[in-house]
Amino acid sequence: MSTAAAVIDLLTSPGTPARTRLRLASERLAEGPTPADRPSLLEQLAAVINGPGGDERVSRALHVFDTSAAV
């Protein structure tokens, strides 16, 4: 599984508080990319997940992923 896909799985985990999802996603991003990952997408996800803000970062990261898949 790609790092990006693993991050999205973590961010969409039902029943898990947003702060926990963001922490787990950040930890997964820190493990680095797989050969299937696009570095630019991981950089964008990391900027949102590790950037300023609160729980809204979950939806912002999902938006980044959704819009990158459309390109």
Side-chain angles (χ1 to χ4, degrees):
M1 174 182 284
S2 72
T3 298
V7 166
I8 297 308
D9 281 349
L10 290 167
L11 292 176
T12 58
S13 176
T16 304
R19 287 184 180 157
T20 302
R21 288 185 271 164
L22 288 163
R23 180 183 52 77
L24 293 172
S26 178
E27 290 172 0
R28 181 62 180 94
L29 284 167
E31 292 175 10
T34 67
D37 284 305
R38 284 193 349 242
S40 62
L41 174 57
L42 293 184
E43 289 172 13
Q44 290 175 327
L45 288 171
V48 171
I49 292 168
N50 297 321
D55 295 348
E56 76 280 358
R57 292 178 292 159
V58 170
S59 57
R60 286 180 23 220
L62 294 173
H63 177 73
V64 165
F65 182 79
D66 288 343
T67 57
S68 77
V71 174

